[in-house]
Amino acid sequence: GAVVSQHPSRVICKSGTSVKIECRSLDFQATTMFWYRQFPKQSLMLMATSNEGSKATYEQGVEKDKFLINHASLTLSTLTVTSAHPEDSSFYICSASPSGGADEQFFGPGTRLTVL
Amino acid sequence: DAKTTQPTSMDCAEGRAANLPCNHSTISGNEYVYWYRQIHSQGPQYIIHGLKNNETNEMASLIITEDRKSSTLILPHATLRDTAVYYCIVRVGGGNQGGKLIFGQGTELSVKP
C-alpha cells in the first residue's frame, strides 16, 4: 500500500521556538495533503488542507500565522509551528491522497511535539 | 458532511467476529462510508469504504443497510492486534472530491484473550 512518512517522529523544544514537521508521500504523488492534531484521549482534529502549489485552507479556529503550511512539491508538505507554547504540545498527523482520484487517504505515523 | 454515532467502547473475544455498528442517519446520496482504525500512538489506518453495496477486503467486511442510515464493520476473526479505536466517517464523493475526513470519537475495541 501507499506509504506516508513524517519527520521527526518526536521533538522536544523550548517555548518560543519554531518547529518544522515534514510529511512525505514515499511511493505516490499527492496533490492534496491534510494536517491533523490529536490531544491525549481525544480524536483527530483536522487543522488544514494543503494543496500543492497554492495556499493551504485552514479549518475554523486554526491560526494560519501560527501553523504555517507549505506544499512545494507533489510528495512533500511541511507544517511549521511558530513560537511554540506548551499548549501546542500534541500529536501531529498528516495524510495524503494519491493524485488521480484514489478514494483512500493514507496517514503518516505522526509526530509527537512537546513544548517545554 | 453527515455526522456519525458509534458506541464508545466494545469488547470482543479473540477469534470471534467483531461487529462494530455506526449510525449515519443524515447521510446524503453522494456520501461514502469510510472506516479507519488507530492503534495507540500511531497514525490511522484505512480499513474499507463503500457507498451502498456491501464491501469485503482482506481486512474486513462492510455491511450498509438498504436505507444507508447505518452500517456495520465486521472483523471476521478478531486478534489481539485488532485492539484499536475504530472510526466511522462519511465523506462526500470518491476520489479527492471534498477530500477531508472529519473524525468523531470512534469506538474503542478491546480484543481479549
Side-chain angles (χ1 to χ4, degrees):
Chain A
V3 179
V4 175
S5 71
Q6 285 184 238
H7 178 79
S9 58
R10 186 181 296 266
V11 57
I12 301 172
C13 71
K14 293 182 178 180
S15 185
T17 61
S18 294
V19 175
K20 180 185 285 189
I21 302 170
E22 292 185 349
C23 176
R24 292 183 185 273
S25 55
L26 297 185
D27 51 2
F28 66 96
Q29 293 184 329
T31 305
T32 304
M33 291 184 174
F34 303 87
W35 287 96
Y36 296 82
R37 180 168 56 181
Q38 186 175 33
F39 293 108
K41 302 291 186 182
Q42 295 187 23
S43 185
L44 285 78
M45 185 192 80
L46 179 66
M47 299 175 67
T49 302
S50 169
N51 300 295
E52 187 267 338
S54 65
K55 292 184 178 180
T57 304
Y58 290 82
E59 295 299 304
Q60 191 173 9
V62 178
E63 300 175 59
K64 64 179 181 180
D65 294 331
K66 180 168 182 63
F67 299 99
L68 301 179
I69 291 172
N70 183 276
H71 193 157
S73 78
L74 288 173
T75 59
L76 173 64
S77 175
T78 61
L79 169 69
T80 300
V81 183
T82 62
S83 187
H85 291 283
E87 56 266 30
D88 298 322
S89 298
S90 189
F91 193 49
Y92 291 87
I93 308 169
C94 71
S95 70
S97 290
S99 300
D103 289 337
E104 306 96 282
Q105 276 188 30
F106 299 97
F107 285 79
T111 296
R112 176 77 58 191
L113 170 63
T114 302
V115 185
L116 302 177
Chain B
D1 291 328
K3 179 180 172 61
T4 63
T5 305
Q6 299 177 252
T8 303
S9 63
M10 292 181 64
D11 289 341
C12 177
E14 187 179 19
R16 303 297 293 270
N19 297 285
L20 291 90
C22 179
N23 286 321
H24 31 78
S25 58
T26 60
I27 192 170
S28 300
N30 62 348
E31 288 182 315
Y32 287 67
V33 180
Y34 284 77
W35 283 84
Y36 282 79
R37 72 180 182 184
Q38 185 180 27
I39 296 170
H40 183 62
S41 294
Q42 298 182 23
Q45 177 189 21
Y46 166 81
I47 301 174
I48 200 167
H49 76 280
L51 182 61
K52 56 182 179 181
N53 296 324
N54 298 336
E55 302 288 343
T56 296
N57 63 20
E58 64 276 6
M59 289 184 68
S61 295
L62 174 60
I63 308 299
I64 302 174
T65 58
E66 192 169 344
D67 63 7
R68 303 210 320 125
K69 293 186 177 182
S70 65
S71 61
T72 301
L73 177 75
I74 301 172
L75 307 179
H77 305 287
T79 71
L80 299 179
R81 288 179 295 180
D82 292 322
T83 292
V85 179
Y86 287 76
Y87 295 100
C88 168
I89 303 166
V90 293
R91 195 192 91 178
V92 171
N96 289 324
Q97 301 169 40
K100 57 186 181 182
L101 296 170
I102 305 299
F103 285 77
Q105 293 306 306
T107 295
E108 187 168 5
L109 175 68
S110 296
V111 181
K112 301 183 183 299

